[in-house]
Amino acid sequence: DQGAAPETKKAAAGQVYRHGVELVVRGSYADLQHYLVRLEGLPWQMFWGRAELKAEEHPQSVLTLTLYTLSLDKTWLSI
């Protein structure tokens, strides 16, 4: 924005945005644990916001994960 004050431009340029995604996966406890280990081993830096495990009918469970990444870009994903 060319009309913005210099202080506003400077503040916006240094702002960090947190982008979140919620994943819901279903499987056995062992499968879900294996999934988490593989997810943590990915080369991307992600931060955990929430992890909730609900036991359904044995042996199935549902894992809901909220993951975040940080970026200097306001727009992370466009559909």
Side-chain angles (χ1 to χ4, degrees):
D1 183 353
Q2 300 221 359
E7 313 81 51
T8 306
K9 286 183 184 178
K10 187 175 180 181
Q15 191 164 7
V16 176
Y17 297 94
R18 181 179 77 166
H19 305 288
V21 63
E22 182 175 276
L23 302 173
V24 179
V25 291
R26 179 184 314 265
S28 70
Y29 182 84
D31 290 339
L32 297 176
Q33 182 182 24
H34 180 72
Y35 179 77
L36 289 176
V37 168
R38 302 253 342 233
L39 193 62
E40 287 182 325
L42 292 173
W44 309 294
Q45 293 251 324
M46 291 182 284
F47 304 93
W48 299 87
R50 181 174 151 254
E52 180 181 325
L53 181 67
K54 288 186 180 178
E56 289 195 333
E57 191 172 319
H58 182 74
Q60 295 294 304
S61 295
V62 176
L63 177 63
T64 303
L65 298 170
T66 305
L67 304 173
Y68 296 99
T69 186
L70 301 177
S71 171
L72 297 176
D73 295 322
K74 186 173 185 177
T75 304
W76 178 57
L77 178 65
S78 297
I79 297 177

